[in-house]
Amino acid sequence: MIRTHYSTQITPDMKESVTICGWAHEIRDLGGITFLVVRDREGLVQVTLFKKTIDKNLLEIVRNLSRESVVAITGTIKKEAKAPNGYEVVPTEVKVLGKADSPLPMDTTGKVDADLDTRLDVRFMDVRRPYTQAIFRIRHLILKSIREYLDNDGFLEITTPKVVATATEGGTALFPITYFEREAFLNQSPQLFKQLMMSGGLDRVFEIGPIFRAEEHDTRKHLNEATSIDIEASFLNNEDVMVILENLVKYIYMKVQEKGATYLKTLGVELKIPEIPFKRITYSEAIEIARKNGEKIEWGDDLSTESEHTIGKTIGEHYFIVDWPSKIKPFYALPYEDKPELCRAFDMMHPRMELSSGAQRVHSYEMLRDRIEAQGLNPDGFEFYLKAFKYGMPPHSGWGVGAERLLMTMLGIENIREVVLFPRDRKRLSP
Ligand code: ATP
Ligand code: MG
């Protein structure tokens, strides 16, 4: 290994020689003294070359260095209160490992603003900015804490196929692909497969994986490829998995606050830990709130973005919408026995948008077949799924949360594309 330390692992009193690796963030030549600021993943290091005492060759290399070139610097540590982390490196060796062309396709110092499209076009460069990197550090913490939480709660992590023969629930547009001599699709949700594993007796499963939606929309909260965090659990009802969800959200926020303080600071975000239990309002109450605030919406309609905003403003914190009309929820949502026009489905909402949909599922074979037909779908296409309901399917419930929506609402970021390394939308397929 070339590197001995990250920038943050060095202390001003260190006596031994160190080697740091990173990018030439800034070069300032003041004649008698030359500063090279090197940036690694963790922070900045000031490398100082005194003209009087420094080796001529080293000085030449640094003076000719182009910004954003990759360098390895070996040297000794000197206390310097004005430098980042209180020390500077006096170099004994400077190696250029990767030269950068100029001009650069975008600024990495944060001094010049670039629009999102430019940033996404040269994402490799954009991610060098501490601001952008902080977003993906927080994403990492979110996913890590989800795995921690669910593992502790007895959930097994599974992965299910993304190439499938049939649609999950009809309705939503799918991306067709060529699978040898047949047509196949990119899966829009792990729904059917995670339910199969309830019949399989795995009892509690979760998956963090991609979902593909071929919807044409061009909004700030929709992607054509998103990351879904899904759970499914046997012998639990809708309310039980809502409790898991709200506890998980609170846990994630707490972990991010605890482990991500540096990144939150870089992003200028002050986290407010959501209080549990989240408020529960019924779908009917949600419609009433929207209508009272002037939205043109009828009982039985899906909530528009405007209605979501209006209701979100009224409630002002994370909340659940429960007891949805069976007609507008997928066939696998379980209708109430005594009022089958409503079902045991819920959405979990941030004031800005929907974060999650879930439900207790239909687990009777006959009812499921009827529900598939009632929604205008052909049960023949669901043969592989329906079969599992004939040979001992436990009652079960689950939900799916969009990872990007969780991240963007936590950080107060406006456009979902900003929290995806390489977003896929109506226009963007590269990089
Ligand atoms: P919306 O109505 O907001 O388009 P949805 O109800 O179609 O979402 P679901 O099928 O319920 O979405 O998927 C569960 C969760 O997955 C959503 O609550 C959301 O967080 C996330 N999700 C779904 N579709 C997308 C998408 N196109 N882009 C980003 N996240 C998505
Ligand atoms: Mg939904």
Side-chain angles (χ1 to χ4, degrees):
M1 193 139 97
I2 313 172
R3 176 175 51 220
T4 60
H5 296 81
Y6 277 123
S7 55
T8 44
Q9 292 172 322
I10 298 174
T11 55
D13 305 313
M14 273 172 52
K15 294 284 174 276
E16 73 261 35
S17 155
V18 301
T19 303
I20 52 155
C21 294
W23 285 258
H25 187 67
E26 218 183 319
I27 303 147
R28 271 176 295 144
D29 192 356
L30 309 179
I33 190 166
T34 303
F35 294 110
L36 162 64
V37 179
V38 176
R39 185 191 67 246
D40 65 14
R41 196 182 73 182
E42 307 299 322
L44 301 174
V45 178
Q46 176 169 302
V47 180
T48 308
L49 298 90
F50 301 97
K51 195 179 169 192
K52 268 193 189 143
T53 48
I54 198 81
D55 181 301
K56 286 276 167 313
N57 291 329
L58 285 192
L59 192 59
E60 264 325 280
I61 296 174
V62 172
R63 278 183 169 163
N64 291 323
L65 203 56
S66 51
R67 270 183 51 216
E68 293 303 318
S69 289
V70 177
V71 292
I73 312 273
T74 304
T76 51
I77 305 301
K78 203 168 142 278
K79 241 189 206 142
E80 174 51 67
K82 278 180 275 171
N85 300 311
Y87 70 87
E88 60 187 6
V89 174
V90 180
T92 51
E93 197 181 342
V94 176
K95 277 197 192 130
V96 182
L97 303 178
K99 191 179 160 304
D101 275 357
S102 46
L104 297 167
M106 73 168 282
D107 173 69
T108 53
T109 60
K111 285 176 190 156
V112 189
D113 261 346
D115 62 35
L116 188 56
D117 261 328
T118 309
R119 292 172 48 200
L120 293 175
D121 285 343
V122 281
R123 198 55 146 163
F124 66 91
M125 199 89 198
D126 180 47
V127 176
R128 294 185 193 179
R129 296 165 64 222
Y131 174 88
T132 307
Q133 216 173 96
I135 295 172
F136 294 100
R137 291 290 195 111
I138 303 269
R139 180 187 152 99
H140 167 77
L141 286 175
I142 290 177
L143 296 183
K144 185 171 133 95
S145 55
I146 290 170
R147 289 198 163 92
E148 247 167 44
Y149 186 89
L150 292 176
D151 178 51
N152 281 334
D153 210 14
F155 284 83
L156 304 187
E157 181 162 6
I158 61 167
T159 44
T160 62
K162 303 307 151 205
V163 176
V164 295
T166 35
T168 304
E169 43 195 273
T172 326
L174 294 166
F175 288 111
I177 60 167
T178 306
Y179 192 73
F180 303 107
E181 60 289 332
R182 278 186 287 169
E183 187 182 54
F185 303 94
L186 294 176
N187 208 2
Q188 66 188 84
S189 152
Q191 182 64 33
L192 306 186
F193 293 98
K194 61 179 184 168
Q195 284 192 268
L196 290 183
M197 285 305 98
M198 297 301 100
S199 185
L202 290 188
D203 205 67
R204 292 177 165 217
V205 300
F206 78 100
E207 174 165 7
I208 302 177
I211 55 169
F212 302 90
R213 311 251 166 140
E215 288 146 318
E216 301 260 350
H217 42 50
D218 185 9
T219 77
R220 292 191 300 177
K221 59 169 186 176
H222 286 98
L223 295 159
N224 292 112
E225 178 178 0
T227 311
S228 183
I229 301 146
D230 270 86
I231 75 155
E232 203 65 31
S234 293
F235 311 107
L236 297 186
N237 67 19
N238 43 312
E239 176 59 30
D240 297 329
V241 292
M242 285 162 63
V243 171
I244 293 176
L245 181 52
E246 61 193 356
N247 275 286
L248 174 64
V249 170
K250 182 173 179 190
Y251 183 82
I252 296 168
Y253 269 74
M254 281 169 36
K255 281 288 161 183
V256 168
Q257 182 159 69
E258 180 191 326
K259 307 251 158 110
T262 328
Y263 316 125
L264 291 172
K265 199 168 158 226
T266 303
L267 293 163
V269 172
E270 247 180 72
L271 274 198
K272 195 176 149 273
I273 311 281
E275 274 175 40
I276 54 171
F278 295 168
K279 191 171 221 169
R280 281 120 167 98
I281 63 169
T282 64
Y283 166 85
S284 300
E285 286 165 345
I287 295 293
E288 215 169 286
I289 295 173
R291 286 173 66 98
K292 258 193 204 140
N293 286 280
E295 299 292 339
K296 286 191 179 48
I297 188 168
E298 301 293 332
W299 196 96
D301 291 346
D302 216 338
L303 296 182
S304 62
T305 297
E306 294 71 36
S307 299
E308 278 184 12
H309 284 164
T310 308
I311 303 160
K313 258 192 210 135
T314 309
I315 311 276
E317 54 195 359
H318 288 80
Y319 63 104
F320 283 107
I321 303 176
V322 300
D323 300 351
W324 286 73
S326 303
K327 266 211 182 103
I328 54 171
K329 281 293 177 187
F331 59 79
Y332 48 77
L334 179 65
Y336 283 102
E337 229 166 276
D338 53 342
K339 38 177 180 180
E341 67 285 1
L342 296 183
C343 65
R344 293 175 173 273
F346 56 86
D347 276 8
M348 194 269 286
M349 313 291 295
H350 179 274
R352 282 173 60 198
M353 69 188 75
E354 175 191 321
L355 294 186
S356 174
S357 286
Q360 177 162 351
R361 323 298 190 184
V362 176
H363 72 282
S364 129
Y365 173 82
E366 287 75 24
M367 187 192 283
L368 191 56
R369 232 192 121 86
D370 290 349
R371 290 270 295 155
I372 289 174
E373 275 176 348
Q375 300 223 343
L377 297 165
N378 183 355
D380 293 348
F382 294 92
E383 185 54 32
F384 77 98
Y385 167 71
L386 277 166
K387 213 194 280 176
F389 291 74
K390 271 198 196 168
Y391 303 99
M393 176 63 96
H396 60 280
S397 305
W399 42 252
V401 178
E404 293 81 12
R405 289 195 186 173
L406 194 59
L407 180 57
M408 73 188 285
T409 51
M410 174 185 280
L411 300 181
I413 287 174
E414 290 295 322
N415 192 328
I416 195 165
R417 290 161 185 77
E418 186 154 358
V419 302
V420 187
L421 279 177
F422 301 105
R424 291 289 171 263
D425 64 20
R426 187 69 188 82
K427 290 172 214 116
R428 191 171 280 280
L429 188 55
S430 175

